[in-house]
């Protein structure tokens, strides 16, 4: 369970730094104490949903963004390829869609 707090803390730190805020500035904007912000960012504190809402409001992001832990973003080329695959998939019959899905599952199992 500690991992979730570290992940949330890392997301808060990441978003704070994107905006160029110090911990002091985030504390001021959220109405929280600087040491509490630091503890949350390090994953040492267990913030309530209300506290997380104050922080997300101060960061001007939706609350759910604090729970998006994978910071890897696909590059533009990946997005184009994914869009092309989705477009092709949409034109297929139900049977073919099931086959495609199963092929992707099998490929994913081979990679593990």
């Amino acid at each position: 369970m500690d991992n979730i707090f570290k992940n949330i803390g890392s997301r808060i730190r990441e978003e704070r730094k994107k905006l160029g805020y110090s911990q002091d500035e985030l504390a001021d904007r959220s109405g929280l104490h600087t040491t509490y912000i630091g503890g949350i960012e390090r994953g040492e504190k267990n913030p309530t949903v209300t506290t997380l809402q104050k922080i997300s409001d101060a960061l001007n992001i939706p609350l759910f963004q604090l729970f998006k832990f994978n910071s890897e973003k696909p590059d533009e080329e990946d997005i184009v390829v994914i869009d092309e695959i989705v477009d092709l998939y949409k034109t297929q019959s139900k049977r073919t869609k099931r086959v495609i899905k199963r092929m992707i599952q099998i490929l994913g199992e081979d990679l593990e």
Side-chain angles (χ1 to χ4, degrees), residues 3 20-21 31 43 45 51 53 71 76 81 95-96 100 105-106:
N3 248 357
Y21 293 171
K45 299 292 182 186
T51 297
Q53 184 66 62
S71 62
E76 191 61 36
V81 171
R95 182 177 183 276
T96 302
I100 292 169
Q105 289 170 332
I106 290 168

Side-chain angles (χ1 to χ4, degrees), residues 3 13 25 27 30 39 44 54 57 63 75 94 98 111:
N3 248 357
R13 182 182 299 114
E25 189 168 357
S30 62
E44 299 168 354
K54 289 178 184 179
D57 288 347
L63 179 60
D75 63 21
K94 286 184 180 184
R98 285 193 302 270
L111 295 175

Side-chain angles (χ1 to χ4, degrees), residues 4 7-8 11 14 65-72:
I4 193 165
N7 288 335
I8 291 170
R11 286 287 298 129
E14 179 182 321
Q65 289 286 356
L66 297 180
F67 296 91
K68 287 184 140 186
F69 303 137
N70 185 357
S71 62
E72 282 187 45

Side-chain angles (χ1 to χ4, degrees), residues 45-93:
K45 299 292 182 186
N46 177 2
T48 65
V49 174
T50 303
T51 297
L52 292 175
Q53 184 66 62
K54 289 178 184 179
I55 292 170
S56 70
D57 288 347
L59 294 169
N60 199 29
I61 60 171
L63 179 60
F64 76 87
Q65 289 286 356
L66 297 180
F67 296 91
K68 287 184 140 186
F69 303 137
N70 185 357
S71 62
E72 282 187 45
K73 296 177 179 116
D75 63 21
E76 191 61 36
E77 185 177 330
D78 287 344
I79 293 170
V80 169
V81 171
I82 290 167
D83 287 343
E84 289 172 355
I85 291 169
V86 169
D87 288 343
L88 287 170
Y89 178 82
K90 287 177 181 178
T91 65
Q92 303 304 310
S93 68

Side-chain angles (χ1 to χ4, degrees), residues 16 21-29 32-35 37:
R16 174 178 62 77
Y21 293 171
S22 66
Q23 286 183 345
D24 286 333
E25 189 168 357
L26 179 57
D28 287 343
R29 290 175 177 271
L32 302 168
H33 196 277
T34 305
T35 56
I37 294 291

